[in-house]
Amino acid sequence: MPEPVFPFLFGRFCYLCGQILKHSMATTSDIRNGMCMEYNNDTFVVIEFQHVKPGKGNAFVRTKLRSLTSGKVIENTFMAGHTINEVRVERRKVQFLYKDEMGYNFMNSETFEQEALDEKLIENGEFLKEGMEIEVLYHAQKNIPLTAELPAHIIVEVTYTEPGVRGNTATNAMILATIETGAEIKVPLFIEQGEKIKVDTRTREYVERVK
């Protein structure tokens, strides 16, 4: 993701859409993938959109929106010219410390302040390792966390694998394994305890063995 070019624009730069926001109000003509907006008392990011101009009737924009608080995807149609409340967001780097009853605890990499994030803000949080640095999106005006993004891939050690079935020579056969963070994923038969592997945190899939 791009960083702000000028320090005084920090907080007016939309890290998801990659543009500097001159104002918070927009219209349907401004809709684009990655745009953040407030809608129905929630904050959403646009993941798909289509401008439609029917032969009869008014033009409209068909969208798919993903909630930054729950991850739920909804479909919504905006009439052309509809006013949209665009949300300014900031991206901050934080370092994972530990998990307790308050949630996942992190330290801001710049200010060293500690903050606990609710589990629902972090998809696949069981892949977090102590000391791992992730990025958190904050509502720039309200200064509240919206969602957190883990690195797309992580290197982890396998701490347990289920015994393979003797005689199973299928090249695509998979077994259940536990990694050092406690998460469970499926790995190929040849992966053994103590080995390191690369895992895709978005799909929870094994990628490759790391030597």
Side-chain angles (χ1 to χ4, degrees):
M1 293 291 181
E3 295 292 334
V5 179
F6 304 105
F8 61 86
L9 291 176
F10 188 72
R12 294 180 62 83
F13 188 91
C14 180
Y15 291 88
L16 289 178
C17 66
Q19 297 182 12
I20 295 172
L21 306 179
K22 297 180 180 180
H23 48 74
S24 60
M25 300 307 294
T27 67
T28 52
S29 62
D30 299 308
I31 290 178
R32 59 197 177 276
N33 287 339
M35 178 183 186
C36 293
M37 67 174 72
E38 286 187 349
Y39 176 72
N40 280 357
N41 299 316
D42 199 357
T43 305
F44 291 87
V45 59
V46 178
I47 56 177
E48 288 184 22
F49 74 96
Q50 180 184 18
H51 289 273
V52 181
K53 295 181 179 180
K56 294 182 179 181
N58 297 324
F60 59 90
V61 182
R62 185 180 294 118
T63 65
K64 278 189 178 181
L65 311 173
R66 177 170 58 84
S67 169
L68 290 179
T69 56
S70 69
K72 182 180 180 181
V73 176
I74 65 171
E75 295 184 0
N76 190 72
T77 298
F78 296 97
M79 298 305 297
H82 181 82
T83 300
I84 295 171
N85 187 11
E86 188 169 6
V87 173
R88 292 185 285 120
V89 295
E90 294 178 2
R91 183 181 293 271
R92 303 175 190 172
K93 291 184 177 181
V94 297
Q95 189 178 58
F96 177 59
L97 300 176
Y98 57 90
K99 181 183 177 183
D100 59 15
E101 66 278 0
M102 298 296 293
Y104 293 100
N105 291 267
F106 295 88
M107 179 180 66
N108 186 298
S109 299
E110 294 184 356
T111 65
F112 303 108
E113 295 179 351
Q114 294 188 23
E115 180 178 7
L117 297 182
D118 193 294
E119 292 184 36
K120 68 181 182 180
L121 297 180
I122 307 174
E123 187 175 1
N124 293 328
E126 63 264 51
F127 288 125
L128 283 168
K129 296 172 57 177
E130 182 179 347
M132 177 186 289
E133 190 172 71
I134 69 170
E135 294 182 322
V136 181
L137 288 178
Y138 283 79
H139 192 297
Q141 294 169 310
K142 299 179 181 179
N143 194 35
I144 58 175
L146 299 172
T147 187
E149 298 177 0
L150 274 66
H153 297 96
I154 58 173
I155 307 297
V156 289
E157 182 178 333
V158 176
T159 57
Y160 172 79
T161 57
E162 289 184 339
V165 178
R166 181 173 297 180
N168 190 341
T169 58
T171 56
N172 61 347
M174 307 289 279
I175 55 176
L176 195 63
T178 304
I179 59 176
E180 60 182 284
T181 65
E184 293 184 336
I185 65 168
K186 290 185 177 181
V187 300
L189 283 171
F190 58 79
I191 296 298
E192 299 178 353
Q193 182 176 326
E195 291 190 294
K196 290 189 176 181
I197 59 173
K198 178 185 287 188
V199 176
D200 189 319
T201 61
R202 300 160 297 183
T203 62
R204 303 180 60 88
E205 293 179 345
Y206 164 88
V207 178
E208 62 182 358
R209 179 164 54 185
V210 178
K211 296 182 180 181

